[in-house]
Amino acid sequence: MSAGGESTASCLAAMLPVSAALEAVYHQIQQWPFPMPGQYLHLPLVGQVLQVRIPSVKDKPTTVRPPVSAAPLSVRPIVLSSVYELEFHRVLQPLLPHLYLLWELVLLNEPLAVMAPNPTLSSKFVQVLVNMVLPLRYGSDYRPYFTIHDSEFKDYTTRTQAPPNIILGVTNPFFTKALQHWPHVVRIDDTADPSKPLKKSSTSSPGHVTDVKPGLYTRYKPFITPDRSALRAVGRTPTTARRSGDVRDAHIRRMLSEVTQSFMIPLERYLATLLPLQRTITPWRQPPGLKPFNQADFVKSLEISGPHLTTGLKGNWTGLYRRFFSTPNFRYWLRLRQLEATNKIRVLYMEAICKADVVFWMRDKTEVEVVDFILRLNDLLCGRESEVMSPLPPRLEQALAGQMRTITNALSPDMQALLSTLNSATGPVS
């Protein structure tokens, strides 16, 4: 819980025995405005003012947003951070020397167990790990607080199969033995000096030892050589020790975001070459689809457009990409981009239809050809050829409706009646 959340909880805890006070709190909350993404809200509560900002999908992960007051306030607001504003430096400080190694483990969806003394620390650490690869969205499951009572307990602790691609946060000492076959384990302790870096052990896990030392237990050999100078810049040096937590958090987020973007830019650039050329999209033919992702062709493109163009980090980038291709993160990213590309092609096709002279096109077409065109267009309008249909701009919807009316009105009355019956069951054509 953040400092603002703890202050609010303390205020409410002091009032719990007083029913009248709780009723007053209830009425205050009832008057709060409806939350809107991207906007700051000042919410009165028991003599305090809570300042909250709901994250927006347009936010960039490296952006640090300072508190903003819309109007002068008589009471200094308590700033509540969002679930995405994580304390990177505070959580990762003991493991800063292994920051890039952790980044690779998360990028590759490696099975990773976090053993912490309490659920709060376990949850914070797991949330930070998942957000280390932003702006890439983590494509596997993760459990900030996993217990022996969870239904997947046997599946995750069995030795008859490899551990799943998941990040687990646990607190029960029993997991020290139950997860000893896991390839990567982080052991953290809230009593240790955070300024003292934790060591990396070449053993795969703490093993049978019940009183293990905090540290990173893995045999993983990273593909990328870490930037020691950058890691020292965020360590506890005389310069950085005076920085506020927000600035240090931003520094770490920026480092991680930059290496992730350097890794993803070649993939995004290659994917753009798989899109059909706009001049090949015509109103009267089925729009072309996205070309398949060819791993060999992509690897060849790294020679002229690899990560070396945007980052100074050295290492076996090709090996890292080959490993990445078999991960849930890659499959999730590729699926999202394929859906986005399909919707983009769909919009370009709709725009081409809106600009076309349908009256001229219908002059030498049979009624069967016209009806086939209407049905194909109706499928695109209703999104039946795409798993995720993006909403069309209003101007495009209006233009398409006009074109559809023009085409439908040119058909015979019997065919118009048939299409009308079809529309009532599958969705409107015009």
Side-chain angles (χ1 to χ4, degrees):
M1 183 180 293
S2 64
E6 292 172 354
S7 301
T8 306
S10 300
C11 292
L12 292 177
M15 301 176 59
L16 283 179
V18 186
S19 59
L22 288 178
E23 185 177 353
V25 170
Y26 170 77
H27 288 297
Q28 281 187 317
I29 295 177
Q30 286 287 90
Q31 301 301 316
W32 286 0
F34 189 80
M36 296 294 293
Q39 293 185 3
Y40 283 93
L41 301 176
H42 293 92
L43 312 174
L45 183 68
V46 294
Q48 303 287 339
V49 176
L50 309 181
Q51 179 175 288
V52 191
R53 182 184 181 277
I54 308 299
S56 169
V57 294
K58 298 180 180 180
D59 291 347
K60 294 183 179 180
T62 55
T63 302
V64 178
R65 298 185 178 275
V68 175
S69 296
L73 301 173
S74 58
V75 180
R76 184 178 181 181
I78 299 174
V79 180
L80 300 183
S81 60
S82 76
V83 294
Y84 300 106
E85 295 171 0
L86 304 171
E87 299 173 307
F88 273 74
H89 183 264
R90 183 178 177 182
V91 172
L92 293 174
Q93 185 178 5
L95 288 165
L96 279 180
H98 316 301
L99 187 67
Y100 289 102
L101 190 154
L102 287 172
W103 174 81
E104 283 194 31
L105 294 180
V106 178
L107 178 74
L108 300 177
N109 299 103
E110 286 290 311
L112 179 59
V114 177
M115 298 184 179
N118 56 69
T120 299
L121 191 55
S122 166
S123 300
K124 286 184 176 180
F125 203 97
V126 172
Q127 292 287 357
V128 165
L129 287 176
V130 171
N131 283 272
M132 287 181 72
V133 293
L134 285 175
L136 176 68
R137 295 179 63 180
Y138 187 70
S140 287
D141 191 13
Y142 61 95
R143 304 293 182 85
Y145 179 46
F146 187 79
T147 73
I148 61 175
H149 304 291
D150 282 280
S151 58
E152 299 89 351
F153 171 75
K154 291 184 178 180
D155 297 330
Y156 295 165
T157 57
T158 182
R159 296 171 181 271
T160 59
Q161 59 187 19
N165 302 107
I166 189 174
I167 300 178
L168 288 185
V170 300
T171 60
N172 193 325
F174 175 77
F175 282 105
T176 300
K177 182 177 180 180
L179 300 179
Q180 63 179 336
H181 62 293
W182 275 49
H184 321 290
V185 176
V186 176
R187 182 87 181 205
I188 50 180
D189 186 1
D190 57 353
T191 62
D193 182 2
S195 63
K196 186 177 181 181
L198 298 182
K199 295 183 178 181
K200 172 182 174 291
S201 175
S202 59
T203 57
S204 60
S205 69
H208 293 283
V209 183
T210 57
D211 186 20
V212 296
K213 295 181 180 180
L216 173 59
Y217 297 83
T218 180
R219 290 194 180 99
Y220 179 82
K221 295 182 179 180
F223 290 91
I224 306 304
T225 303
D227 186 349
R228 300 295 181 186
S229 60
L231 293 175
R232 286 193 295 269
V234 293
R236 286 187 61 85
T237 62
T239 301
T240 59
R242 296 192 297 268
R243 294 181 176 181
S244 67
D246 289 343
V247 174
R248 288 181 291 197
D249 290 343
H251 194 166
I252 295 176
R253 284 199 304 269
R254 185 167 58 252
M255 285 175 53
L256 294 171
S257 178
E258 287 175 355
V259 66
T260 302
Q261 292 186 61
S262 294
F263 181 79
M264 297 305 299
I265 284 175
L267 289 165
E268 299 281 0
R269 184 182 293 117
Y270 172 75
L271 192 70
T273 65
L274 305 181
L275 285 167
L277 297 176
Q278 187 169 352
R279 65 172 180 268
T280 64
I281 301 176
T282 64
W284 321 123
R285 291 186 301 176
Q286 189 76 11
L290 186 70
K291 297 178 184 177
F293 190 101
N294 188 294
Q295 297 180 12
D297 290 344
F298 169 76
V299 171
K300 292 179 183 178
S301 71
L302 293 177
E303 298 178 3
I304 56 175
S305 60
H308 62 277
L309 299 178
T310 54
T311 180
L313 293 176
K314 308 296 182 181
N316 183 9
W317 287 104
T318 301
L320 184 60
Y321 280 113
R322 292 188 187 277
R323 184 82 170 266
F324 180 68
F325 290 148
S326 62
T327 66
N329 277 344
F330 171 73
R331 292 191 292 270
Y332 186 52
W333 167 83
L334 182 60
R335 192 60 190 146
L336 288 178
R337 291 296 183 266
Q338 288 173 334
L339 292 174
E340 291 175 2
T342 300
N343 280 317
K344 183 177 180 180
I345 295 171
R346 169 174 163 263
V347 170
L348 292 174
Y349 179 59
M350 299 294 189
E351 290 178 343
I353 293 175
C354 291
K355 297 175 182 178
D357 187 350
V358 294
V359 175
F360 180 82
W361 173 79
M362 288 188 298
R363 288 193 311 173
D364 58 348
K365 298 295 183 295
T366 65
E367 192 172 61
V368 173
E369 291 175 303
V370 174
V371 171
D372 180 69
F373 175 74
I374 291 175
L375 294 177
R376 185 171 71 246
L377 183 57
N378 196 45
D379 285 342
L380 287 170
L381 280 169
C382 297
R384 282 190 283 269
E385 295 189 3
S386 174
E387 293 183 16
V388 179
M389 181 182 65
S390 298
L392 295 174
R395 60 168 184 81
L396 191 56
E397 286 187 347
Q398 295 173 3
L400 283 171
Q403 293 283 60
M404 293 297 291
R405 283 193 297 269
T406 300
I407 299 173
T408 305
N409 292 337
L411 298 174
S412 64
D414 291 342
M415 186 58 67
Q416 291 184 35
L418 179 61
L419 289 175
S420 178
T421 303
L422 178 64
N423 295 343
S424 64
T426 62
V429 169
S430 59

